């Protein structure tokens, strides 16, 4: 099944950003900081900078259940994924309060 992921930041920025390990099941909505490949043939399922979706996780589970080999994740058990560390979001109003 083909699906499209949203590129939330450049691949280079995602690979350079501070990261944290996140349980795969809790990573929906987060930004991937690493690649996940279906091998063979070596097709990337997700690349750094793309937003992780429920469909991505469902597809990973289907592939693993079928005995296909997923590689690229730092966690070879495929239970966690490196994601871009979440930074506290400040609002325009908070910025104005802080900076005048």
């Amino acid at each position: 099944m083909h699906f499209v992921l949203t590129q939330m930041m450049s691949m280079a920025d995602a690979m350079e950003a501070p990261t944290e390990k996140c349980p795969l099941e809790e990573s929906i909505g987060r930004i991937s900081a690493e690649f996940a490949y279906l091998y063979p043939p070596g097709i990337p399922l997700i690349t750094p900078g793309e937003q992780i979706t429920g469909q991505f996780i469902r597809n990973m589970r289907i592939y693993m259940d079928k005995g296909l080999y997923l590689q690229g994740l730092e966690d070879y058990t495929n239970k966690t994924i490196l994601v871009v560390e979440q930074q506290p979001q400040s609002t325009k109003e908070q910025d104005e309060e802080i900076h005048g």
Side-chain angles (χ1 to χ4, degrees):
M1 175 182 287
H2 178 73
F3 62 100
V4 177
L5 296 174
T6 303
Q7 192 77 30
M8 301 298 288
M9 62 192 309
S10 76
M11 193 180 297
D13 287 346
M15 292 176 76
E16 296 292 324
T19 62
E20 57 190 350
K21 200 175 280 193
C22 183
L24 194 62
E25 303 299 332
E26 296 173 20
S27 67
I28 296 171
R30 302 291 301 272
I31 299 170
S32 176
E34 61 183 333
F35 291 91
Y37 292 97
L38 185 58
Y39 189 82
I43 298 169
L45 301 175
I46 197 164
T47 61
E50 289 181 325
Q51 187 173 39
I52 299 166
T53 64
Q55 186 64 54
F56 163 76
I57 293 171
R58 283 189 295 277
N59 285 358
M60 278 194 64
R61 294 289 175 231
I62 290 167
Y63 300 144
M64 287 189 289
D65 289 347
K66 291 185 179 204
L68 299 173
Y69 183 59
L70 298 169
Q71 71 177 48
L73 296 181
E74 183 178 275
D75 176 5
Y76 68 91
T77 67
N78 298 322
K79 291 181 181 166
T80 63
I81 187 168
L82 285 180
V83 295
V84 173
E85 198 173 273
Q86 287 185 321
Q87 300 298 321
Q89 300 277 326
S90 65
T91 65
K92 184 178 179 184
E93 294 80 22
Q94 288 172 326
D95 287 344
E96 287 174 357
E97 284 179 27
I98 294 168
H99 302 292

